[in-house]
Amino acid sequence: MQTVPNHQVENLQIEDDRTGLSVECLKRAFLDNLFYVQGKFPKIATKNDYYMALAYTVRDRLLQRWINTAVIYTERASRTVSYLSAEFLMGPHLGNNLVNLGIYDQVKQAVSELGLDLEDLLEQEEEPGLGNGGLGRLAACYLDSMATLEIPSLGYGIRYEFGIFDQDIRDGWQVEITDKWLHCGNPWEIARPEWEVYVKLGGHTEAYTDEHGRYRVRWIPYQVVKGVPHDTPILGYKTNTANTLRLWTAEAPESFDFGAFNSGDYLGAVQAKMVSENLSKVLYPNDDSSQGKRLRLAQQIFFVSCSLQDMIRIVFRQNVPLEKFHEKFVVQLNDTHPAIAVAELMRLLIDEHDMGWDQAWSITQKSLAYTNHTLLPEALERWPISLFRSLLPRHLEIIYEINYHFLEEVKAKFPGDSDRLRRMSLIDESGEKYVRMAHLACVGSHSINGVAALHTKLLQQDVLRDFYQMYPEKFNNKTNGVTPRRFMVLSNPRLTNLISSKIGDSWIKHLKDLKKLEAFVDDPEFCHQWRSIKSAIKHDLVAYIQKQNGISVNPDSIFDIQAKRFHEYKRQHLNALHIITLYNRIKANPDIDITPRTFIFGGKAAPGYYMAKLIIKLLNSIADVVNNDPDVRDRLKVVFLKDYSVKFAQRVYPAADLSEQISMAGKEASGTGNMKFALNGALTIGTLDGANVEIRDEVGAENFFIFGLTAPEVYALKARGYRPLDYYHSNRELKAVIDRIASGHFSHGDTQLFKPLLDSLLHRDEYLLFADYQAYIDCQDNVSQVYRDRDRWTRMSILNVARMGKFSSDRSIRDYCQDIWNIQSVPIELGECIQAKE
Ligand code: 6GP
């Protein structure tokens, strides 16, 4: 392997205390940072000062790798993946960096010798909640895997000042509180104002003829916004690769409009600044739904344009001709939020870099690839033409032209099929006119993928059927995965150590090696250890719940957990129907023998999603009644843990016995929580939806609690005409459950509170809770039976973990590299001059 030529780095003098990994060195560096960065000495330092001092100590060690990586990538002009995503739900950085640097234990010892507790310091970190749920967290897992697999990559997104809101629960209702993740400073990022770029918005376009007599268009914007990159290093697990997450902040080009300022309009001058800064102010808190707001479209063009301009800057700096943009970069679009990249790349190449249409189009298509993350119709982004014209007049012209060429292609392939043209057009003309972003993404990309086998199949058969018929070769599946570093090694050290003590630690990088655990499934000592670890972790959660919610929980009960965003299609209320069913059974027969359960919920609802918020209120209301009913005793407990986040998830997954993955089949694109639970030894109760199908195939149907209608059965039932009332009238237990809610039993006699939810179930039940109710209850009864046989349960748990190897995000990334990105790894060696001296 080639090492970095010395002249590149000879001026870099890096001292031991910035790179050394020994306990002594870490201690010195920590105190040094406390003194020189935080400006504190131990006696007056706060916990946050200590956290910051440690974070800077770790960051120094990252910087060494980061700079080496940059040197080598620049030197070689390596092919690079640009992962464009409106969301990156990174979770706390400190612990993950300790794991990936391989210095967790040294740092734990170093801080403890200084009288501090590492867990305490880790708790201090405000996580950057720059995402809503699955889509943003997947992006974060993929960055981890790309760095671990030594794939040159850049994550591009928005540095929201306010991330996903903090959730409080008051009187059982969700209350949203502004997330101020930056208020204590962010030690992990470095601002790069020297790479600022400008983004145009609004105004109009003008045609003109250039000096070669060519027809050209110039865009006279109404407003220009400055984008400033903030870079965070993303270290791979036990590699020297440190890639970059580059997030853009919006600023006004000048802090003050001096014209307005001098004429006495001070407020007007400051206003321009405020309007610009709005673009990176706040994350839209919607998961799986699109609102069509102007600010959101402005955010999208903002980060997409900044990122594409940045890539073009890199292309030039590395002396790659612009005609080879697609050889230097492959740009993955994380859903349609960055789909405007199709028009923006065309605009940059044609208007700003004088390229002809055909060449620009070929480069655009070869560079871009699109991942779809949802089948929900309400999530498919469409922008009203009027909005588009006023914000992005030039892009609209380009989209019209792309559409013209595209529809010509469709006509050639399917002559005389005008209905198809109408369906496939980039412009929806059925009523008010809209730009269809998914269509734009499909036409402008060389690859279109879904995120689980079933999801990809449904895209091909349904949502994107016309595009599949037009371009079958573009379609491919990339089943999601999760990083075992964060979701095992960091969050579940006890299980990690047990596993590694038996099979070594190669599984951390090669998750399929977990298979070796199967050899121990009949080893009673191992099974005993497995069970003791789960039990110890459950005890920890019991203590947490006692502290947080003041509820005392039986650690021997089944920990039955549903943790994810709240949405009707995910059917947290089906889970509620089960709880009430058990409650009714106890009320009817107080001595009934029931396997004790603790139902644990976590998750946020979109602030404007009334029904999801009502479901949260219902769960909390059930908790109030069930937890305090003397008939129930210790058999059932219901716990809603507020403010679900990545940090919080890391605490919850390891403690679960049962993972609830109960969406209506055909709605959950993949799910990734399902993978994290299973990897931590929980058994799944689930429908045949998303990646559940593949998890069941891997772990074996006998180790998985499957129930409910399949996707084709869902369609068939809906086609026949679904009547929820029939189920209500014919199922005694179901009727009793609904009647119990309707009677006001959980709402202090108020019969109106949950009426909207009940009406929706009784008369529409779009997500078929009633149709799946009996199957779910039967399956849960079976769960309760199996749990009583502890040996059998433990065996199933071990086999689940042993067979989850497929669901590493490393596997997903390898598939992307091979089938879509055509990219190889670039190992990084620490350059001689900047190598750590221990
Ligand atoms: C989510 C899907 O709902 C989830 O099933 C999947 O696992 C995840 O993406 C990662 O692929 N989709 C979103 O969060 C979303 O906003 C537009 O889709």
Side-chain angles (χ1 to χ4, degrees):
M1 188 189 323
Q2 206 182 324
T3 47
V4 191
N6 275 347
H7 67 267
Q8 292 260 346
V9 288
E10 65 193 358
N11 294 329
L12 275 170
Q13 278 300 325
I14 305 225
E15 294 162 21
D16 275 5
D17 280 7
R18 295 240 159 134
T19 55
L21 304 178
S22 65
V23 171
E24 276 316 306
C25 198
L26 289 163
K27 268 161 60 179
R28 267 201 318 274
F30 176 84
L31 291 172
D32 191 70
N33 281 320
L34 184 67
F35 194 91
Y36 286 106
V37 181
Q38 284 307 104
K40 289 280 182 74
F41 54 96
K43 200 164 172 194
I44 59 160
T46 63
K47 241 185 213 167
N48 187 59
D49 291 325
Y50 286 128
Y51 159 73
M52 293 292 267
L54 183 56
Y56 282 112
T57 303
V58 173
R59 194 183 84 170
D60 286 340
R61 274 114 195 111
L62 295 181
L63 274 166
Q64 182 199 15
R65 286 154 181 82
W66 205 12
I67 292 171
N68 271 279
T69 305
V71 167
I72 290 178
Y73 288 173
T74 308
E75 171 89 349
R76 306 222 191 135
S78 310
R79 180 164 169 78
T80 301
V81 180
S82 290
Y83 200 86
L84 261 60
S85 180
E87 304 187 6
F88 286 94
L89 196 46
M90 300 301 290
H93 289 290
L94 178 56
N96 200 245
N97 282 326
L98 294 179
V99 165
N100 284 9
L101 275 168
I103 57 169
Y104 196 97
D105 294 337
Q106 291 93 306
V107 167
K108 196 176 167 73
Q109 189 185 336
V111 297
S112 115
E113 287 177 16
L114 294 168
L116 297 163
D117 175 30
L118 179 59
E119 300 305 315
D120 248 17
L121 299 185
L122 292 173
E123 260 316 296
Q124 274 301 303
E125 182 169 352
E126 282 277 351
E127 75 174 72
L130 308 187
N132 275 288
L135 169 142
R137 183 53 233 177
L138 186 78
C141 283
Y142 282 0
L143 294 186
D144 180 86
S145 284
M146 287 190 280
T148 298
L149 295 171
E150 307 178 303
I151 301 299
S153 65
L154 272 160
Y156 279 115
I158 302 176
R159 183 177 174 274
Y160 300 105
E161 186 179 338
F162 304 114
I164 186 69
F165 61 85
D166 294 336
Q167 178 194 53
D168 197 7
I169 300 293
R170 297 188 192 153
D171 187 28
W173 292 96
Q174 167 177 300
V175 175
E176 299 91 23
I177 296 162
T178 311
D179 155 70
K180 300 206 178 88
W181 71 287
L182 286 168
H183 80 292
C184 289
N186 174 8
W188 302 104
E189 67 183 5
I190 295 186
R192 306 284 193 195
E194 67 277 21
W195 294 330
E196 67 188 28
V197 292
Y198 292 87
V199 178
K200 299 189 244 188
L201 298 169
H204 65 279
T205 62
E206 287 174 0
Y208 69 100
T209 311
D210 71 10
E211 64 275 20
H212 307 294
R214 284 183 307 179
Y215 172 86
R216 301 291 295 271
V217 177
R218 90 165 60 87
W219 174 13
I220 313 339
Y222 168 76
Q223 187 192 357
V224 176
V225 180
K226 183 161 85 182
V228 180
H230 289 66
D231 289 358
T232 302
I234 305 295
L235 182 71
Y237 178 72
K238 296 194 177 165
T239 66
N240 293 319
T241 298
N243 288 326
T244 296
L245 170 61
R246 181 160 292 165
L247 302 179
W248 299 94
T249 326
E251 291 180 10
E254 294 296 335
S255 292
F256 285 95
D257 174 342
F258 283 102
F261 187 55
N262 290 335
S263 66
D265 184 9
Y266 179 76
L267 290 181
V270 177
Q271 186 152 11
K273 181 170 154 63
M274 281 170 22
V275 169
S276 300
E277 286 172 359
N278 262 340
L279 289 191
S280 55
K281 194 57 87 186
V282 60
L283 168 78
Y284 274 80
N286 298 309
D287 186 55
D288 281 333
S289 93
S290 156
Q291 283 183 320
K293 290 280 184 341
R294 183 187 176 90
L295 180 62
R296 171 83 167 175
L297 181 59
Q299 288 185 338
Q300 296 182 352
I301 186 63
F302 167 70
F303 93 91
V304 165
S305 179
C306 287
S307 309
L308 287 170
Q309 291 186 61
D310 194 56
M311 288 175 233
I312 291 175
R313 175 185 63 79
I314 294 170
V315 161
F316 285 135
R317 190 188 61 191
Q318 298 186 353
N319 293 318
V320 176
L322 193 56
E323 291 69 31
K324 296 198 169 178
F325 180 91
H326 57 284
E327 291 179 19
K328 166 71 197 171
F329 282 111
V330 56
V331 181
Q332 192 68 37
L333 307 175
N334 201 21
D335 214 85
T336 56
H337 317 143
I340 190 64
V342 176
E344 174 65 1
L345 185 53
M346 287 298 283
R347 188 191 70 77
L348 288 166
L349 295 176
I350 294 172
D351 292 357
E352 315 252 330
H353 295 280
D354 296 340
M355 208 177 270
W357 179 276
D358 292 345
Q359 187 173 27
W361 184 241
S362 155
I363 292 174
T364 298
Q365 275 191 323
K366 284 184 198 150
S367 307
L368 304 183
Y370 160 54
T371 305
N372 174 288
H373 290 270
T374 180
L375 294 156
L376 299 185
E378 65 268 32
L380 292 181
E381 290 192 296
R382 322 178 295 162
W383 297 103
I385 292 277
S386 52
L387 174 58
F388 229 96
R389 185 175 293 115
S390 83
L391 195 66
L392 302 172
R394 179 59 182 140
H395 296 79
L396 187 59
E397 290 173 359
I398 292 172
I399 288 170
Y400 278 136
E401 182 147 357
I402 296 172
N403 200 30
Y404 169 79
H405 294 294
F406 168 60
L407 293 178
E408 287 298 305
E409 249 185 87
V410 180
K411 276 185 216 160
K413 184 149 180 176
F414 303 98
D417 192 345
S418 60
D419 201 46
R420 185 181 294 267
L421 291 179
R422 187 186 51 70
R423 291 196 309 266
M424 293 186 78
S425 172
L426 303 187
I427 312 294
D428 177 349
E429 305 198 52
S430 50
E432 189 195 349
K433 287 192 189 174
Y434 290 94
V435 181
R436 295 162 161 160
M437 298 309 275
H439 294 202
L440 181 63
C442 285
V443 175
S445 300
H446 65 278
S447 163
I448 302 166
N449 77 280
V451 290
L454 173 66
H455 170 231
T456 301
K457 192 169 112 196
L458 295 175
L459 285 178
Q460 292 172 351
Q461 290 175 352
D462 187 17
V463 182
L464 298 175
R465 192 172 85 205
D466 291 324
F467 288 87
Y468 182 54
Q469 289 172 358
M470 179 86 193
Y471 307 117
E473 70 289 352
K474 285 193 189 184
F475 281 75
N476 61 94
N477 174 247
K478 292 288 164 282
T479 298
N480 285 166
V482 301
T483 171
R485 272 75 65 183
R486 182 177 290 275
F487 292 107
M488 282 286 274
V489 181
L490 177 62
S491 61
N492 201 341
R494 286 176 275 207
L495 197 60
T496 296
N497 290 338
L498 175 62
I499 293 173
S500 296
S501 74
K502 290 291 173 195
I503 63 169
D505 63 4
S506 64
W507 60 274
I508 298 170
K509 272 199 185 198
H510 305 278
L511 202 61
K512 287 241 160 118
D513 288 352
L514 284 175
K515 195 108 208 146
K516 296 180 193 157
L517 280 178
E518 287 198 31
F520 299 92
V521 75
D522 294 317
D523 173 344
E525 173 59 21
F526 179 71
C527 292
H528 173 74
Q529 288 172 318
W530 190 272
R531 201 153 61 216
S532 318
I533 284 174
K534 179 65 84 180
S535 168
I537 298 168
K538 285 169 73 178
H539 274 88
D540 288 352
L541 190 62
V542 167
Y544 181 82
I545 290 171
Q546 182 72 55
K547 192 163 136 232
Q548 281 284 312
N549 296 44
I551 300 172
S552 67
V553 160
N554 170 5
D556 294 326
S557 61
I558 306 177
F559 277 25
D560 174 340
I561 308 188
Q562 190 167 17
K564 50 180 77 243
R565 284 296 288 247
F566 271 79
H567 200 299
E568 288 163 279
Y569 86 78
K570 296 180 188 280
R571 303 200 295 191
Q572 281 93 349
H573 45 339
L574 179 59
N575 194 336
L577 300 187
H578 174 232
I579 302 173
I580 300 172
T581 303
L582 295 183
Y583 176 71
N584 280 347
R585 288 178 187 170
I586 291 175
K587 294 305 279 183
N589 176 6
D591 292 325
I592 192 172
D593 184 15
I594 275 186
T595 312
R597 285 216 197 206
T598 301
F599 297 90
I600 299 171
F601 294 89
K604 295 173 183 177
Y609 188 172
Y610 174 70
M611 208 55 104
K613 292 175 123 174
L614 192 57
I615 294 171
I616 291 180
K617 170 69 177 167
L618 174 64
L619 292 171
N620 282 309
S621 305
I622 296 171
D624 278 348
V625 171
V626 169
N627 298 348
N628 298 307
D629 187 322
D631 285 346
V632 175
R633 300 199 298 275
D634 228 10
R635 288 172 291 181
L636 304 180
K637 283 279 155 63
V638 183
V639 178
F640 189 99
L641 287 170
K642 70 176 183 185
D643 205 25
Y644 191 61
S645 62
V646 177
K647 195 191 237 181
F648 182 83
Q650 290 172 207
R651 185 193 300 277
V652 167
Y653 295 126
D657 293 308
L658 187 67
S659 152
E660 297 272 350
Q661 308 299 336
I662 59 177
S663 52
M664 180 181 82
K667 287 291 171 191
E668 190 70 272
S670 160
T672 45
N674 47 4
M675 301 169 188
K676 296 165 197 163
F677 277 113
L679 204 47
N680 281 280
L683 303 188
T684 306
I685 182 164
T687 47
L688 282 173
D689 199 13
N692 292 355
V693 178
E694 289 157 78
I695 296 177
R696 186 216 41 181
D697 289 349
E698 292 291 311
V699 305
E702 69 285 7
N703 299 308
F704 197 100
F705 298 101
I706 207 85
F707 76 95
L709 299 171
T710 62
E713 287 166 353
V714 164
Y715 296 126
L717 175 55
K718 290 205 167 186
R720 282 202 306 276
Y722 172 56
R723 301 208 322 211
L725 269 178
D726 293 351
Y727 293 83
Y728 168 78
H729 286 301
S730 62
N731 188 319
R732 194 182 46 80
E733 278 200 301
L734 173 61
K735 182 168 185 305
V737 167
I738 298 299
D739 292 349
R740 175 83 77 181
I741 303 173
S743 73
H745 189 84
F746 301 107
S747 41
H748 306 287
D750 180 347
T751 54
Q752 295 305 300
L753 180 59
F754 297 117
K755 195 162 183 300
L757 187 57
L758 297 181
D759 282 349
S760 142
L761 288 176
L762 288 163
H763 304 298
R764 285 184 303 279
D765 193 15
E766 193 183 340
Y767 300 106
L768 305 185
L769 277 76
F770 286 11
D772 271 344
Y773 171 80
Q774 194 56 51
Y776 182 55
I777 298 298
D778 292 344
C779 193
Q780 288 285 21
D781 288 343
N782 184 34
V783 168
S784 292
Q785 275 310 316
V786 175
Y787 192 75
R788 290 172 174 235
D789 181 346
R790 288 309 181 84
D791 291 339
R792 180 171 168 205
W793 187 277
T794 303
R795 194 186 154 81
M796 289 168 76
S797 166
I798 296 169
L799 288 178
N800 262 266
V801 175
R803 298 174 179 176
M804 281 297 290
K806 171 175 172 184
F807 302 99
S808 167
S809 43
D810 299 345
R811 189 269 311 144
S812 312
I813 288 299
R814 277 197 203 95
D815 291 350
Y816 277 91
C817 287
Q818 226 175 54
D819 305 343
I820 306 179
W821 298 340
N822 182 29
I823 196 165
Q824 264 91 44
S825 62
V826 176
I828 305 296
E829 282 197 354
L830 296 187
E832 272 175 24
C833 287
I834 48 177
Q835 198 142 24
K837 293 189 223 117
E838 270 218 60

